[in-house]
Amino acid sequence: IELRRAVLEAQSNPNIGAVIVQAQGPAFCSGHDLREIRRYQQREGEESDDAAALTEGRDKLSDLFGLCSDVMASVATSPVPFIAKVDGIASAAGCQLVASCDLAYASLDSSTRFATPGVNLGFFCSTPAVALGRSVPSRKHAMEMLLTGEPISAERAERIGLINEAVPREDLESMVDRVAETIASKKRSVVGRGKQLFVRQMEEPLDRAYEMTSWSMVQCALSEECRNGIDSFFNEKELRR
């Protein structure tokens, strides 16, 4: 719920150029509360002649996973860039959140791990797989995480493309702040249009993707932001002479 509010606030507030997603405790995000899922499972499994009581658990689970999927999709499609700052475990939906963010950086601390362990508990991490499969370049690396349920280190997460970079814990905050400030210094409208178009064109065939992006380049070239940007470039060049 808090993350959903943050997404909506970021979109509506023109002063927000980037959002950093980080934890307040020792874990980045350990995923869904298994106690909550267990309550709904028990309710679903109770013997009762009341059809409404029997379906209540299923409805609760549907709402729970549906809300999570909506939030993850809104992070990925928001015009505002989201940056994950990971220092601790990112498991199941937590790993899904990292994969849903536009950029991700992690500490090299031994406690920092990434995992999709649902297979160990009797259910596959199918919704995290949506984000993971779109974030990790190699399908085989994504499937290895999903099929084994084994955690991977920050170093390996960087190697397979799940995160941008793993750095010493003492450098993590300054690095993420520097990246966020750099992004926020750009024109928000340009960044927003570019991010959303990037997401859309990735789902299209190559020819359609080029058609969409070529037309976008035309529109951008004719915009006031682009005219001002190119004017500034040539003015600065003249001043350096």
Side-chain angles (χ1 to χ4, degrees):
I1 300 298
E2 291 181 8
L3 183 55
R4 188 184 216 179
R5 280 199 297 266
V7 174
L8 294 175
E9 181 182 353
Q11 292 182 185
S12 62
N13 189 337
N15 296 317
I16 296 178
V19 175
I20 298 173
V21 182
Q22 62 185 31
Q24 294 181 328
F28 174 77
C29 178
S30 55
H32 291 288
D33 185 346
L34 295 179
R35 289 182 294 269
E36 181 181 14
I37 294 175
R38 192 178 185 190
R39 286 199 306 272
Y40 300 152
Q41 288 175 325
Q42 290 172 339
R43 189 184 297 266
E44 173 71 16
E46 289 175 356
E47 294 183 6
S48 173
D49 294 329
D50 186 347
L54 287 172
T55 59
E56 186 175 355
R58 182 184 295 111
D59 291 342
K60 291 287 189 180
L61 288 169
S62 179
D63 291 343
L64 177 66
F65 291 117
L67 173 61
C68 181
S69 295
D70 288 345
V71 170
M72 299 296 175
S74 66
V75 167
T77 59
S78 168
V80 181
F82 277 70
I83 307 169
K85 182 167 76 173
V86 187
D87 186 22
I89 187 72
S91 180
C95 188
Q96 180 183 3
L97 178 56
V98 173
S100 297
C101 287
D102 303 289
L103 303 174
Y105 300 87
S107 79
L108 286 166
D109 189 82
S110 60
S111 67
T112 300
R113 291 286 186 270
F114 302 83
T116 49
V119 70
N120 299 327
L121 303 174
F123 65 102
F124 202 77
C125 280
S126 297
T127 47
V130 174
L132 191 64
R134 286 164 167 74
S135 176
V136 176
S138 170
R139 175 180 172 181
K140 288 181 172 58
H141 286 142
M143 286 302 294
E144 182 180 19
M145 292 183 67
L146 293 162
L147 294 173
T148 67
E150 294 295 317
I152 64 172
S153 66
E155 296 99 319
R156 178 156 172 76
E158 179 184 344
R159 287 199 301 271
I160 69 173
L162 177 58
I163 65 172
N164 293 83
E165 191 171 350
V167 298
R169 172 181 277 174
E170 60 269 23
D171 298 332
L172 180 60
E173 184 170 0
S174 60
M175 165 169 273
V176 173
D177 286 349
R178 184 169 63 252
V179 172
E181 288 167 4
T182 299
I183 295 171
S185 71
K186 314 303 180 186
K187 287 288 186 182
R188 177 182 157 116
S189 58
V190 175
V191 170
R193 285 196 303 266
K195 174 188 167 177
Q196 291 184 312
L197 181 59
F198 178 83
V199 172
R200 291 200 305 273
Q201 63 87 18
M202 288 294 289
E203 305 301 321
E204 299 288 341
L206 187 64
D207 56 348
R208 174 59 180 156
Y210 271 120
E211 180 183 345
M212 292 168 58
T213 53
S214 294
W215 175 238
S216 177
M217 292 291 284
V218 171
Q219 292 178 306
C220 288
L222 295 175
S223 69
E224 183 178 358
E225 293 100 327
C226 187
R227 289 198 300 271
N228 292 339
I230 292 177
D231 286 346
S232 295
F233 172 80
F234 283 110
N235 289 339
E236 291 175 6
K237 193 173 181 179
E238 287 294 326
L239 290 174
R240 288 196 296 268
R241 289 181 176 178

